[in-house]
């Protein structure tokens, strides 16, 4: 990375894990703890500069990631990141338990939410092309503490998401062998949901991690081939499924009503998870301003249509009460007389889930790399290997944790938990986009900032109110006469009363503030549709995150922020800023 940074051999020292002044000795650490409240106020109020994210923080990795990806690579990474366990497993699970044939509408609802989030990710990825994705964007606009909440949920989602896909991989592998989905798992006397141990899931996580670590370019080639094969299988599923359609299976269309549709929509949102991995590849993209919009928007538009067609074909092929929650498509083809097709479907599902794990290993590690660059987790995880150009340490961090979770936890336990994480991050991204457009430090008048803050609070509170009223009284309507107008008027006020102080130079979200504001209300609404058990698990994880932050992350990031800045001399990185703004 320029003349002032030279590749260094790997090492394992105290400084790589506890580099700040607060961790030099026990006396310094006790002093830091005594300043916790003051430092917390500092971190809540602090904002990063986009130039720091693009230039200064990348020096922490000591070596550059290799720019080797085009829009074509990113589009296929989009398919590889998204089409996997979600569509092949959650479709059957949620159609059977909550939505019935209306699972199609569940995919429409979650697809709309995902596309609105994709718009926000795309604008930020073009303007701030770094590996940190949503973490870096929120750190710039909403501050260090909000970025920590994002970081915690990113890591939680990365670990739980990979574990969930790996568990689903085992289910389809057993189907391919013509065995019961749980036949290769080890049965124990642990509590339900954690009593089936899965060594195969651990093995597939290890294999995909090794491939991802070896080379980003090599991983891209493998992803092309596997995703192309998967698309052939998906085309077969849609065509063959509709050829064996029985319209009587669509009755009753929504057996559990609107509540069942939105409960399923909140959970199958996980099926769209992974698109943010494309944004994390900005440092390895040849031309971020052109390639990222094409890769993100192109792949997600096609994926949304594919999901709806696949859900429709399953619902018309088999009565929702007869759908197998574990291997829905394979069993459905077997029951309509195409026994051989279940093996093709299982093979396609395996390929799809393998590419999800492969692309996930890349995207998740790049998130962790940038989080480590700001010392929220030890900076040892930010190092990029000088030969492979990949963040080996960050990859191992996520995948080892995923392997531990996948060994014990069932898919239904994981899916609802990581849906909350994904929806929360998407909501925060929409808020960050509004702040990005309407507030520029040193330019926006204080009165406009106060107005923006008030209107954003009204949008968020009205969205929470809508979600809460839905949860308490799904068949009611009176509460919406208060919350919906409040949301509309607050969004209208931003549109009419506040000028946009930042205009995208290359690509921007259309219909601002309406699209981001709609993203907020939809994401919060879908979060409210999840069960209490999911929020209990999420609350426990959040408490653990905050304890970690108070005792380590807060002081590490404070030390990082208050260390003397070195002059920037890296010609390469200065050119990166120029290309991002071009």
């Amino acid at each position: 990375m320029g003349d002032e940074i030279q590749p260094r051999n790997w090492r394992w020292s105290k400084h790589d894990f506890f580099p700040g002044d607060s961790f030099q000795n026990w006396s310094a650490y006790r002093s830091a703890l005594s300043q916790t409240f003051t430092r917390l106020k500092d971190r809540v109020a602090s904002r990063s500069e986009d130039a720091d994210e693009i230039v200064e923080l990348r020096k922490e990795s000591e070596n550059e990631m290799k720019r080797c990806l085009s829009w074509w690579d990113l589009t296929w990474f989009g398919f590889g990141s998204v089409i996997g366990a979600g569509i092949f497993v959650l479709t059957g699970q949620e159609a059977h338990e909550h939505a019935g044939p209306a699972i199609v509408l569940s995919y429409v609802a979650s697809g709309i939410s995902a596309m609105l989030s994709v718009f926000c990710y795309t604008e930020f990825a073009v303007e701030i092309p770094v590996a940190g994705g949503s973490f870096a964007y929120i750190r710039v606009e909403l501050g260090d503490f909000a970025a920590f909440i994002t970081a915690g949920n990113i890591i939680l989602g990365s670990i739980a998401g990979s574990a969930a896909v790996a568990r689903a991989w085992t289910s389809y592998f057993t189907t391919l062998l013509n065995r019961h989905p749980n036949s290769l798992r080890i049965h124990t006397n642990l509590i339900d949901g954690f009593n089936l141990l899965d060594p195969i899931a651990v093995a597939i996580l290890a294999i995909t991690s090794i491939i991802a670590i070896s080379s980003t370019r090599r991983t891209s080639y493998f992803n092309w081939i596997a995703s192309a094969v998967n698309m052939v299988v998906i085309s077969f599923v849609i065509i063959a499924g509709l050829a064996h359609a029985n319209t009587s299976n669509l009755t009753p269309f929504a057996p559990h009503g609107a509540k069942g549709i939105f409960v399923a929509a909140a959970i199958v949102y996980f099926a769209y998870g992974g698109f943010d991995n494309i944004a994390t590849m900005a440092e390895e993209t040849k031309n971020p301003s052109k390639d990222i919009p094409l890769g993100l928007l192109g792949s997600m538009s096609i994926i949304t249509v594919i999901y709806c067609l696949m859900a429709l074909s399953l619902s018309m092929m088999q009565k929702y009460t007869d759908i197998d929650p574990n291997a829905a498509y394979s069993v459905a083809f077997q029951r309509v007389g195409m026994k051989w097709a279940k093996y093709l479907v299982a093979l396609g599902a395996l390929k799809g889930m393998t590419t999800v794990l492969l692309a996930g290993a890349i995207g998740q590690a790049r998130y962790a790399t940038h989080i480590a660059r700001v010392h929220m987790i030890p900076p040892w995880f930010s190092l990029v290997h000088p030969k492979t150009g990949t963040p080996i340490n960050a990859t191992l961090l996520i995948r080892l944790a995923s392997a531990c979770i996948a060994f014990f936890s069932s898919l239904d336990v994981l899916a609802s938990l990581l849906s909350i994480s994904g929806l929360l991050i998407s909501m925060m991204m929409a808020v960050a986009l509004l702040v990005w457009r309407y507030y520029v430090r040193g330019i926006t008048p204080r009165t406009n900032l106060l107005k923006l803050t008030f209107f954003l609070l009204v949008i968020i509170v009205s969205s929470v109110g809508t979600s809460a009223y839905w949860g308490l009284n799904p068949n009611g309507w009176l509460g919406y006469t208060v919350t919906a107008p409040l949301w509309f008027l607050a969004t209208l006020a931003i549109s009419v009363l506040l000028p946009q102080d930042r205009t995208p130079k290359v690509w921007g979200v259309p219909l601002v503030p309406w699209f981001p504001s709609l993203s907020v209300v939809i994401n919060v609404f879908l979060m409210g549709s999840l069960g209490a058990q999911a929020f209990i698990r999420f609350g426990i994880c959040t408490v653990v995150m905050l304890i970690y932050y108070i005792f380590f992350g807060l002081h590490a990031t404070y030390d990082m922020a208050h260390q003397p800045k070195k002059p920037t001399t890296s010609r390469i990185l200065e050119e990166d800023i120029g290309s991002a703004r071009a």
Side-chain angles (χ1 to χ4, degrees):
M1 288 176 53
D3 296 333
E4 69 179 85
I5 296 178
Q6 300 296 326
R8 293 163 60 185
N9 294 326
W10 291 119
R11 69 274 177 178
W12 182 284
S13 67
K14 176 180 177 292
H15 182 78
D16 292 314
F17 288 87
F18 304 100
D21 294 338
S22 299
F23 304 98
Q24 296 306 305
N25 50 57
W26 282 108
S27 177
Y29 184 59
R30 285 194 297 270
S31 176
L33 289 179
S34 68
Q35 302 172 44
T36 295
F37 183 71
T38 302
R39 292 185 172 195
L40 183 60
K41 288 196 300 182
D42 176 86
R43 295 293 81 207
V44 169
S46 71
R47 301 291 184 273
S48 176
E49 296 290 341
D50 54 345
D52 288 340
E53 299 293 321
I54 298 171
V55 179
E56 294 298 328
L57 289 179
R58 284 170 62 178
K59 296 178 182 179
E60 293 290 313
S61 293
E62 298 189 0
N63 301 287
E64 278 275 21
M65 298 183 193
K66 297 177 181 178
R67 290 196 178 275
C68 57
L69 302 177
S70 66
W71 69 268
W72 178 257
D73 299 296
L74 295 181
T75 300
W76 282 106
F77 265 123
F79 288 120
S81 297
V82 177
I83 300 179
I87 186 62
F88 283 109
V89 178
L90 291 182
T91 305
Q93 175 183 300
E94 294 308 306
H96 180 80
E97 297 178 5
H98 295 118
I103 187 67
V104 177
L105 298 183
S106 299
Y107 272 108
V108 170
S110 55
I112 291 172
S113 177
M115 281 303 298
L116 291 172
S117 298
V118 165
F119 284 142
C120 298
Y121 271 92
T122 303
E123 179 169 333
F124 273 122
V126 170
E127 295 287 328
I128 310 175
V130 293
S134 56
F135 168 74
Y137 315 147
I138 289 173
R139 190 165 180 265
V140 168
E141 294 305 319
L142 302 184
D144 200 74
F145 183 72
F148 168 76
I149 300 299
T150 304
N153 281 280
I154 287 170
I155 292 176
L156 173 64
S158 298
I159 293 170
S162 296
V165 176
R167 295 281 298 199
W169 199 98
T170 301
S171 295
Y172 266 87
F173 181 65
T174 53
T175 301
L176 193 63
L177 300 178
N178 202 27
R179 301 179 64 171
H180 187 273
N182 290 326
S183 62
L184 296 181
R185 295 187 173 114
I186 302 171
H187 296 251
T188 69
N189 294 323
L190 298 174
I191 62 173
D192 188 43
F194 303 90
N195 59 333
L196 297 174
L197 308 186
D198 197 335
I200 295 177
V202 175
I204 190 62
L205 283 169
I207 293 169
T208 52
S209 298
I210 292 171
I211 297 172
I213 284 172
S214 65
S215 165
T216 301
R217 190 62 186 161
R218 188 179 299 124
T219 304
S220 179
Y221 287 139
F222 185 89
N223 179 71
W224 283 4
I225 298 169
S227 296
V229 172
N230 195 31
M231 291 300 290
V232 172
V233 174
I234 287 171
S235 299
F236 167 80
V237 169
I238 294 172
I239 295 170
L242 294 177
H244 288 82
N246 184 348
T247 55
S248 65
N249 289 332
L250 295 177
T251 306
F253 184 68
H256 302 291
K259 185 174 180 62
I261 294 173
F262 286 110
V263 168
I267 294 176
V268 301
Y269 184 85
F270 164 55
Y272 290 96
F275 65 81
D276 54 324
N277 287 332
I278 298 177
T280 69
M281 298 177 192
E283 288 183 28
E284 294 155 282
T285 303
K286 296 175 182 176
N287 187 355
S289 61
K290 182 191 76 171
D291 295 335
I292 291 177
L294 287 173
L296 256 175
L297 296 173
S299 60
M300 283 303 297
S301 299
I302 298 171
I303 287 167
T304 301
V305 175
I306 287 173
Y307 277 7
C308 292
L309 290 175
M310 288 189 71
L312 180 64
S313 69
L314 178 65
S315 299
M316 295 182 72
M317 199 170 20
Q318 198 172 17
K319 192 77 173 177
Y320 80 94
T321 52
D322 298 328
I323 291 175
D324 187 304
N326 292 306
Y329 290 94
S330 295
V331 174
F333 277 112
Q334 183 178 3
R335 290 179 180 173
V336 296
M338 298 178 67
K339 185 176 181 179
W340 60 269
K342 79 170 188 175
Y343 299 107
L344 179 62
V345 172
L347 182 62
L350 285 176
K351 283 188 174 292
M353 285 181 273
T354 302
T355 58
V356 167
L357 290 172
L358 199 58
I362 291 179
Q364 294 157 4
R366 277 126 189 94
Y367 267 129
T369 298
H370 202 73
I371 293 169
R373 286 171 175 171
V374 302
H375 295 190
M376 280 189 183
I377 59 177
W380 187 76
F381 295 107
S382 71
L383 298 176
V384 172
H385 196 279
K387 291 184 179 179
T388 65
T390 58
I392 294 178
N393 298 353
T395 305
L396 293 176
L397 169 69
I398 299 298
R399 284 311 173 87
L400 288 174
S402 294
C404 293
I405 299 297
F407 190 59
F408 290 99
S409 305
S410 64
L411 180 64
D412 59 332
V413 170
L414 295 168
S416 58
L417 176 62
L418 57 90
S419 286
I420 293 181
S421 294
L423 290 165
L424 177 63
I425 293 171
S426 294
M427 185 273 287
M428 294 177 70
M429 280 290 294
V431 173
L433 192 281
L434 288 170
V435 176
W436 169 264
R437 286 288 193 94
Y438 288 93
Y439 173 64
V440 177
R441 273 160 284 182
I443 296 178
T444 304
R446 179 173 174 78
T447 54
N448 286 2
L449 173 60
L450 293 175
K451 290 177 184 178
L452 176 63
T453 303
F454 175 75
F455 296 144
L456 286 175
L457 287 174
V458 173
I459 288 172
I460 294 171
V461 170
S462 62
S463 300
V464 172
T466 299
S467 180
Y469 186 74
W470 165 260
L472 295 171
N473 188 10
N475 298 318
W477 58 270
L478 187 61
Y480 304 133
T481 62
V482 177
T483 59
L486 281 176
W487 170 83
F488 177 82
L489 291 174
T491 308
L492 181 65
I494 293 177
S495 178
V496 173
L497 300 179
L498 297 177
Q500 292 191 32
D501 288 329
R502 183 183 276 112
T503 303
K505 296 178 176 62
V506 180
W507 192 95
V509 177
L511 296 177
V512 174
W514 295 100
F515 271 14
S517 182
L518 185 62
S519 180
V520 171
V521 71
I522 291 177
N523 283 301
V524 172
F525 183 80
L526 291 177
M527 286 176 63
S529 298
L530 293 167
Q533 195 66 31
F535 280 93
I536 292 173
R537 292 170 183 149
F538 179 73
I540 294 171
C541 292
T542 301
V543 169
V544 172
M545 291 176 199
L546 291 175
I547 291 173
Y548 168 85
Y549 185 68
I550 292 299
F551 286 95
F552 177 81
L554 168 63
H555 308 291
T557 54
Y558 181 88
D559 290 342
M560 173 75 172
H562 290 81
Q563 68 182 7
K565 288 191 175 182
K566 298 177 182 179
T568 300
T569 61
S570 175
R571 176 183 55 81
I572 296 174
L573 293 180
E574 288 170 358
E575 289 176 353
D576 285 345
I577 297 178
S579 65
R581 304 292 189 202

